[in-house]
Amino acid sequence: MFFRIVAAMACAAGIAGCTAYSGPTHNTDIVTLANGAKAYRVQCLGLLESSQSCMDEVKRICGDKPATRILTVDHVTSDLKSENDPREITFQCSTPVVEQPVQPAPVAVAPVVAPAVASAPVPAHLAPARKITLHGDATFALGSATLTPVATAKLDDFVAANEGVDIDRLTIAGYTDSTGSSELNNRLSAARARSVQGYLATAGLRASTWDVQGYGSASPVAPNTTAIGRAKNRRVDIQIDGK
């Protein structure tokens, strides 16, 4: 399969569009990632378009070069369930690896042993992190799925702490307080979870599987009868499972 499909809705956090052009079955943008690199984003969101339209456009753009997935957005049903049908793909065309000629083995030389130097302690904010939680109005504005600077700073620390870690499964769960309708809370919690996923992906965090869900007002961690309790319940939990 050309890409490993990830069932998630995309957020534009960290990606800025530069150029756009379209065809009869797709829209294509050239975008700038959070690290400044350029990438392509193909969208096939119309009723007459399909995930195959997106895949065909990716193959057309990259030609003989391998395509590296940055982020995929799955089509979802009206009840926010993934259909395993990607309708947006952000990717880069990689340069094929050229095999280098085998060099003669070097002559063995006795190594020079340097005196042992004590390594500096790892700063606490960069220690390996297995789980973080974005709490309350400091990380999302009320009724919004847009990340605040406080939230992106916490996510940047999380990415830095897990640089080079092979992540089997990354779970992102969004929650709200009990105010508002169940439909609104489910939609808002899912949008916040997807915002977090989009930011982590564009910041360079890689995982074999992303589990991104919104649970509305379920599983409160504090009473919803007070403002402080409701703020604690408005949260997004991010957890690494496996390695």
Side-chain angles (χ1 to χ4, degrees), residues 92-172:
Q92 293 175 314
C93 299
S94 304
T95 302
V97 177
V98 179
E99 294 186 1
Q100 300 297 325
V102 177
Q103 300 295 328
V107 178
V109 178
V112 177
V113 179
V117 179
S119 59
V122 177
H125 72 286
L126 293 182
R130 305 292 297 182
K131 180 178 180 179
I132 62 170
T133 298
L134 303 182
H135 275 298
D137 300 335
T139 51
F140 290 99
L142 187 63
S144 170
T146 301
L147 293 162
T148 67
V150 172
T152 57
K154 291 189 67 173
L155 294 177
D156 287 340
D157 286 345
F158 184 74
V159 172
N162 291 286
E163 183 177 0
V165 176
D166 294 326
I167 300 174
D168 291 338
R169 186 182 187 87
L170 187 65
T171 300
I172 304 174

Side-chain angles (χ1 to χ4, degrees), residues 12-242:
I15 300 180
C18 298
T19 305
Y21 58 95
S22 62
T25 61
H26 65 273
N27 291 321
T28 302
D29 301 300
I30 299 176
V31 299
T32 301
L33 304 179
N35 61 5
K38 301 294 184 182
Y40 296 94
R41 178 173 58 200
V42 177
Q43 296 176 312
C44 303
L45 304 176
L47 294 176
L48 301 180
E49 300 171 359
S50 67
S51 57
Q52 188 59 49
S53 302
C54 281
M55 302 298 277
D56 292 343
E57 177 66 2
V58 172
K59 292 178 181 179
R60 186 194 70 77
I61 291 174
C62 288
D64 295 333
K65 295 182 179 180
T68 300
R69 178 187 61 79
I70 305 300
L71 182 67
T72 56
V73 177
D74 198 12
H75 184 263
V76 297
T77 62
S78 59
D79 57 358
L80 299 178
K81 291 184 178 180
S82 171
E83 289 189 330
N84 196 25
D85 180 17
R87 293 301 184 91
E88 179 177 316
I89 304 172
T90 303
F91 64 97
Q92 293 175 314
C93 299
S94 304
T95 302
V97 177
V98 179
E99 294 186 1
Q100 300 297 325
V102 177
Q103 300 295 328
V107 178
V109 178
V112 177
V113 179
V117 179
S119 59
V122 177
H125 72 286
L126 293 182
R130 305 292 297 182
K131 180 178 180 179
I132 62 170
T133 298
L134 303 182
H135 275 298
D137 300 335
T139 51
F140 290 99
L142 187 63
S144 170
T146 301
L147 293 162
T148 67
V150 172
T152 57
K154 291 189 67 173
L155 294 177
D156 287 340
D157 286 345
F158 184 74
V159 172
N162 291 286
E163 183 177 0
V165 176
D166 294 326
I167 300 174
D168 291 338
R169 186 182 187 87
L170 187 65
T171 300
I172 304 174
Y175 299 91
T176 67
D177 60 31
S178 62
T179 59
S181 67
S182 296
E183 180 181 0
L184 173 62
N185 289 337
N186 290 336
R187 185 167 62 248
L188 179 59
S189 61
R192 288 177 171 177
R194 292 193 299 269
S195 290
V196 171
Q197 184 211 7
Y199 188 88
L200 292 176
T202 56
L205 195 68
R206 295 289 179 265
S208 298
T209 302
W210 297 75
D211 184 3
V212 184
Q213 301 288 340
Y215 297 98
S217 59
S219 303
V221 295
N224 279 302
T225 54
T226 67
I228 294 176
R230 290 190 294 271
K232 290 181 178 180
N233 291 332
R234 295 192 295 272
R235 68 195 190 279
V236 176
D237 292 331
I238 305 116
Q239 180 170 331
I240 291 176
D241 298 315

